[in-house]
Amino acid sequence: MTPVLATAGLAKRFGGLLAVDNVYFEVPKGQIRAVIGPNGAGKTTLMGLISGRLTPSAGKISFNGRDVTRQRAWERARSGIVYTFQVTSIFAGLSCYENVALAAQRHLARSMFAQVLLDEKRISDRVDDALRQVGLAHVTSQRADSLPYGHQRLLEVAMSLALEPQLLILDEPTQGLANAEIDTLCQHVRAITDSVTVVIIEHNMPVVLELADCITVMERGAVLAEGEPAQIAGDTQVQRAYLGT
């Protein structure tokens, strides 16, 4: 089966620094893939290349079997690659519904003409569905900045789901969350994999080991190891490089 995402010989240089070094990376449909490694390992740079925010120095990126290496970020987002950042990017003064509706409208409006003809019910259905998937259906009219921080992160995931992603990249989604909020976020990430493939950059190892189907470990821009959580937890190379001996 063709993987949702595949990279071949992917590399990125910043002057004399080789930030991503000859990375071969495949993610099958419906998987939760965690990418871990120490600071400076190249994780975020790799995701920047995959999402189109950075241009590779070498290599190829395929999405559903199609070469997207030269596509721009907005083209990849429209194709189904959606990236959420470490810092929440919600519209604080708007309601939860309005935040998600803006994302849905952006995805549906392919032209200025289309914006005039957008079906309000279609937008409403998409917003309701996205909020339901992350457990926020009960706070649609609440201002985004009045939500607890963990719910703000869930709202950002709902905004991403309104873009109808096939591949959702989450960058440090548990950063700054309390334990109960982390549990809630993990529960909803698991639930969306019926329709969305997830790649997660995460430093919280208990979360990674519980949530991920497969883990890719990076060090100095290259892939150090890859495998199921139990395999990675027992890998002596990984222990030395990242987990601690």
Side-chain angles (χ1 to χ4, degrees), residues 120-179:
E120 188 172 328
K121 185 178 186 307
R122 188 179 175 192
I123 293 171
S124 176
D125 287 346
R126 181 169 295 179
V127 172
D128 291 344
D129 187 53
L131 287 169
R132 178 190 55 76
Q133 285 186 75
V134 300
L136 294 180
H138 61 294
V139 293
T140 55
S141 61
Q142 194 167 326
R143 267 179 59 131
D145 58 359
S146 71
L147 296 176
Y149 183 70
H151 285 176
Q152 291 183 24
R153 299 307 301 262
L154 288 172
L155 176 60
E156 189 175 28
V157 173
M159 293 167 68
S160 299
L161 293 175
L163 299 174
E164 292 191 317
Q166 296 178 55
L167 175 68
L168 178 61
I169 303 171
L170 302 174
D171 196 344
E172 298 285 355
T174 68
Q175 187 177 54
L177 302 190
N179 287 336

Side-chain angles (χ1 to χ4, degrees), residues 6-245:
T7 73
L10 198 61
K12 179 63 179 178
R13 287 188 177 274
F14 296 101
L17 173 66
L18 185 58
V20 171
D21 182 8
N22 194 37
V23 168
Y24 287 79
F25 181 73
E26 286 193 2
V27 183
K29 183 177 180 179
Q31 187 179 80
I32 300 177
R33 172 68 62 89
V35 180
I36 68 171
N39 290 332
K43 307 180 299 293
T44 297
T45 302
L46 176 62
M47 295 306 120
L49 294 170
I50 290 167
S51 65
R53 298 179 187 278
L54 295 172
T55 302
S57 303
K60 178 181 176 181
I61 303 165
S62 298
F63 181 57
N64 288 324
R66 187 163 58 91
D67 188 345
V68 297
T69 311
R70 299 303 163 193
Q71 276 192 350
R72 290 167 290 185
W74 66 267
E75 292 173 311
R76 295 189 205 185
R78 182 164 286 178
S79 297
I81 300 175
V82 176
Y83 189 172
T84 68
F85 296 94
Q86 290 176 320
V87 180
T88 52
S89 54
I90 59 174
F91 298 96
L94 299 181
S95 71
C96 294
Y97 182 95
E98 290 165 336
N99 268 273
V100 182
L102 283 173
Q105 287 170 341
R106 186 178 68 178
H107 180 64
L108 290 170
R110 302 299 173 115
S111 66
M112 289 300 294
F113 183 65
Q115 291 179 30
V116 177
L117 298 177
L118 281 178
D119 184 340
E120 188 172 328
K121 185 178 186 307
R122 188 179 175 192
I123 293 171
S124 176
D125 287 346
R126 181 169 295 179
V127 172
D128 291 344
D129 187 53
L131 287 169
R132 178 190 55 76
Q133 285 186 75
V134 300
L136 294 180
H138 61 294
V139 293
T140 55
S141 61
Q142 194 167 326
R143 267 179 59 131
D145 58 359
S146 71
L147 296 176
Y149 183 70
H151 285 176
Q152 291 183 24
R153 299 307 301 262
L154 288 172
L155 176 60
E156 189 175 28
V157 173
M159 293 167 68
S160 299
L161 293 175
L163 299 174
E164 292 191 317
Q166 296 178 55
L167 175 68
L168 178 61
I169 303 171
L170 302 174
D171 196 344
E172 298 285 355
T174 68
Q175 187 177 54
L177 302 190
N179 287 336
E181 293 173 325
I182 290 172
D183 290 343
T184 299
L185 183 120
C186 289
Q187 173 188 341
H188 291 297
V189 169
R190 285 192 205 93
I192 65 175
T193 55
D194 286 344
S195 58
V196 183
T197 301
V198 177
V199 175
I200 179 171
I201 302 174
E202 184 57 67
H203 280 103
N204 186 323
M205 284 308 301
V207 167
V208 168
L209 294 171
E210 178 189 346
L211 191 60
D213 300 311
C214 182
I215 300 172
T216 298
V217 186
M218 295 188 68
E219 184 185 29
R220 299 179 183 177
V223 174
L224 175 67
E226 196 166 80
E228 295 179 356
Q231 179 184 350
I232 293 300
D235 189 302
T236 55
Q237 276 188 301
V238 175
Q239 290 171 357
R240 284 195 298 269
Y242 185 58
L243 299 178
T245 55

